[in-house]
Amino acid sequence: MADRLRRAAEEASDDLVLGDGTRASDYASHLVGIVRGLGATQEMPVLAMARPSDLEERVRAILDPRRRRLAPSRILTVSLSAAGVAGALVLAAAAPGVARPAMAASSSNLEDGLRASGAPSSAAHTARAVRAATTEERASVIILAANRKGSGSAAFARGKELYEDERYLEAAEAYRKAVDRGYREDTAAYNAACSYALAGRKDDAFTWLNKSMELGFDLSSYLGKDDDLDSLRRDPRFAELKKATRAAKAEGKTADSVRAVKRFERLTAEGSKNGARWYEVGKELLDAGRFEQSEKAFRAAASLGYRAGASTYNAACALARAGKVPQALDTLDAALEAGFDDPGLLERDDDLDAIREEPRFAQLKKKAEDLSLSSADLGSGVSRLFRRRGAWREEVPHYAAYAKAHRESGRAHYNLGYGQLLAERPEAAVAAFTRALELGYRKPATLYNLACSHARLEEKDKAFERLFQAIDAGFGSPEQIRHDEDLDSLHGDPRFKQALQRAEKDEEEDD
């Protein structure tokens, strides 16, 4: 009832404003701007204001010329006007000094943000995420479409809606209209190509991919990871297109390459022990085509214990890009043993194109699938509070069989220990983690999980011994230690507070 009353009040307010002669698109724009402004502040005022989930529907109603709007009584008009003034005062008081955000023409702000961030490592859906704009951004598109019937903006918005409805051929045509009308031509052309690819129209897809590159779209950031283009990957034209985009990108990367090399040389001269810095410069060098130095940077990061699996994987990518096939395969194998855990990326990542047809690559892909823990939904340390431990009992036989067949694989024994711990078999977990530790696998994490296993067994002295060893080895996650239910039996002991303090201190020093 409260929700219905809030909606009715909003509709009455909208009708009052529009009945007074205010232009519908102007009023809708103000509403979207207010909601954005509230989202930018730390605290939302307690006010019956359009919720993001309702905003798009409300904007559509405001812009609907067929909607019947009843004229309010004089008393209601005065009351609602007073309420409107009071509401404006509350909003002004809640967000002092916050300027009204500029209206976005589409989801370009979201796209720019994704590009600036470099896109996540698991960005198989990056381009799709760009098109999946926020409610406020979709409302903005609706407003602009109402203002500019037949505009490129309206065509782009229509293309997005059709794409989301999986009407791909119609979406492609809408995006083509946006290009013809001069609206965000590069992105519209790329989205048209994606739509054609999903519709099975390969020739059209390649035509529009080339068109998007000609218009300035950064294809190199999307070709390797956007699954909209999966139907094109085995076509020879796809490999040719990737070469062309890399060549075009390399031409504009000279300055970036020089900066990356200078950073690499500085870290080398300093003998830096900061794994994160080596990792970042490794990415810059890989992007700049400096493969030998990139490999060295990633290996330095791995040797310092910084994201060992990912660092070693990226070293393999650098070797593959350099055409060093046997070394790339060996390094990829080492990445799997070091904990790299994304089998799907092996198939998608175009950095590995040079080794993908090698017979050994298929074996490594199978190994990655066998070693992956993702099928049981690992989640973060904090999410262990909500994990269904019984589900892991079905996983344990697989990990046990693999560990038996690969006795010298530290990761195999670690996986077995993890499965046993989450299946509520801590004694078996201790044996598996101990073997993983003997084999040198991920010392901080292995020691931490040994502490969890001993805590589950109510072996407090052993648990604290392993916990302090884990922290000394670099396990610096005080939040996980504080909230991990595996360590609940340790909470009343003074040593638990000491462990937290030491972990917090190490975290501050790392920062």
Side-chain angles (χ1 to χ4, degrees):
M1 288 297 293
D3 185 65
R4 291 178 63 183
L5 178 62
R6 176 184 58 77
R7 292 191 183 204
E10 289 176 348
E11 291 170 5
S13 300
D14 297 342
D15 289 346
L16 173 66
V17 173
L18 297 174
D20 194 44
T22 302
R23 187 181 177 191
S25 57
D26 288 344
Y27 178 50
S29 296
H30 283 302
L31 279 180
V32 177
I34 289 169
V35 171
R36 279 192 179 150
L38 293 178
T41 64
Q42 292 297 316
E43 297 182 3
M44 290 282 286
V46 182
L47 182 70
M49 183 59 198
R51 299 175 184 176
S53 59
D54 302 331
L55 181 61
E56 184 175 352
E57 179 181 345
R58 187 175 177 185
V59 167
R60 288 186 184 278
I62 291 169
L63 296 172
D64 186 356
R66 298 167 296 180
R67 186 180 177 88
R68 185 165 176 248
R69 306 185 189 279
L70 298 175
S73 67
R74 189 174 186 83
I75 294 175
L76 181 58
T77 298
V78 173
S79 301
L80 288 174
S81 297
V85 172
L89 291 173
V90 171
L91 287 171
V98 178
R100 180 185 299 142
M103 295 301 296
S106 73
S107 60
S108 59
N109 289 342
L110 176 61
E111 181 176 4
D112 292 342
L114 282 169
R115 287 181 180 174
S117 69
S121 59
S122 58
H125 303 287
T126 298
R128 184 168 293 166
V130 169
R131 292 188 283 276
T134 64
T135 304
E136 295 95 304
E137 288 167 331
R138 290 199 303 271
S140 299
V141 172
I142 295 165
I143 294 165
L144 286 166
N147 277 331
R148 299 164 61 185
K149 296 286 187 182
S151 68
S153 151
F156 193 98
R158 180 60 177 157
K160 180 179 178 298
E161 291 177 356
L162 291 165
Y163 170 90
E164 291 173 345
D165 290 338
E166 299 184 1
R167 295 160 63 182
Y168 298 123
L169 284 177
E170 295 172 78
E173 291 303 312
Y175 283 125
R176 289 179 62 168
K177 287 180 181 177
V179 175
D180 292 340
R181 294 167 186 172
Y183 181 77
R184 298 186 65 209
E185 296 105 313
D186 62 333
T187 303
Y190 176 76
N191 287 347
C194 289
S195 301
Y196 277 129
L198 289 166
R201 296 266 290 266
K202 292 185 179 182
D203 291 344
D204 289 323
F206 280 111
T207 296
W208 283 89
L209 282 173
N210 281 291
K211 178 79 169 175
S212 72
M213 186 169 64
E214 292 170 7
L215 291 169
F217 189 78
D218 183 15
L219 266 185
S220 60
S221 297
Y222 293 85
L223 288 182
K225 298 177 174 66
D226 191 345
D227 58 2
D228 284 352
L229 305 177
D230 282 353
S231 64
L232 311 179
R233 296 190 187 283
R234 298 198 177 277
D235 191 299
R237 290 172 291 181
F238 196 78
E240 293 172 5
L241 186 61
K242 285 195 293 188
K243 288 180 182 178
T245 58
R246 282 177 175 167
K249 190 171 184 178
E251 290 177 6
K253 282 287 184 181
T254 304
D256 291 342
S257 175
V258 171
R259 282 193 293 270
V261 170
K262 286 183 177 178
R263 283 192 65 193
F264 174 82
E265 291 173 346
R266 185 168 63 252
L267 292 176
T268 302
E270 294 172 355
S272 175
K273 301 299 182 183
N274 188 316
R277 290 181 182 175
W278 281 111
Y279 188 89
E280 289 304 315
V281 79
K283 289 197 298 184
E284 293 172 10
L285 291 163
L286 182 61
D287 194 40
R290 300 279 186 164
F291 304 130
E292 183 178 352
Q293 290 160 311
S294 175
E295 180 210 350
K296 290 179 180 177
F298 283 125
R299 289 195 184 278
S303 69
L304 291 166
Y306 183 79
R307 301 184 62 188
S311 295
T312 309
Y313 171 81
N314 284 322
C317 290
L319 287 163
R321 293 274 299 274
K324 298 179 178 180
V325 173
Q327 298 96 315
L329 290 166
D330 288 342
T331 306
L332 183 57
D333 193 359
L336 298 180
E337 288 293 342
F340 180 76
D341 198 33
D342 189 352
L345 187 57
L346 298 185
E347 187 62 33
R348 297 189 307 270
D349 195 340
D350 56 4
D351 284 342
L352 302 178
D353 283 353
I355 63 174
R356 188 164 285 114
E357 300 305 320
E358 294 290 322
R360 190 180 170 195
F361 184 83
Q363 299 170 9
L364 291 174
K365 186 180 175 186
K366 177 64 167 58
K367 180 175 181 177
E369 292 166 354
D370 287 336
L371 284 171
S372 176
L373 283 169
S374 59
S375 62
D377 185 24
L378 288 181
S380 66
V382 175
S383 72
R384 285 185 180 182
L385 295 169
F386 310 104
R387 215 175 274 152
R388 292 187 304 111
R389 296 180 179 273
W392 281 85
R393 291 174 184 161
E394 299 176 4
E395 302 285 333
V396 166
H398 165 73
Y399 299 128
Y402 193 88
K404 185 176 181 180
H406 301 81
R407 297 182 184 278
E408 300 306 310
S409 170
R411 184 177 175 186
H413 291 280
Y414 179 91
N415 287 356
L416 176 58
Y418 210 104
Q420 296 284 22
L421 177 60
L422 295 180
E424 297 184 324
R425 297 167 179 164
E427 189 171 356
V430 167
F433 283 130
T434 299
R435 179 58 181 156
L437 185 64
E438 291 170 353
L439 293 167
Y441 181 77
R442 294 180 63 190
K443 187 176 179 180
T446 303
L447 285 166
Y448 176 79
N449 282 302
L450 272 168
C452 292
S453 302
H454 285 299
R456 280 276 170 184
L457 290 167
E458 299 286 341
E459 297 172 349
K460 292 187 179 182
D461 291 341
K462 290 182 179 179
F464 278 115
E465 180 184 0
R466 292 303 194 185
L467 183 57
F468 282 112
Q469 288 175 351
I471 295 169
D472 291 342
F475 188 87
S477 180
E479 283 303 303
Q480 181 164 343
I481 295 171
R482 181 178 288 109
H483 297 291
D484 195 332
E485 67 176 8
D486 286 339
L487 302 177
D488 282 355
S489 66
L490 309 183
H491 284 197
D493 193 298
R495 289 173 289 181
F496 188 75
K497 185 177 180 180
Q498 295 171 13
L500 275 176
Q501 290 173 340
R502 188 183 297 185
E504 289 166 352
K505 180 181 178 181
D506 289 349
E507 187 178 53
E508 290 172 3
E509 289 176 353
D510 288 341
D511 292 341

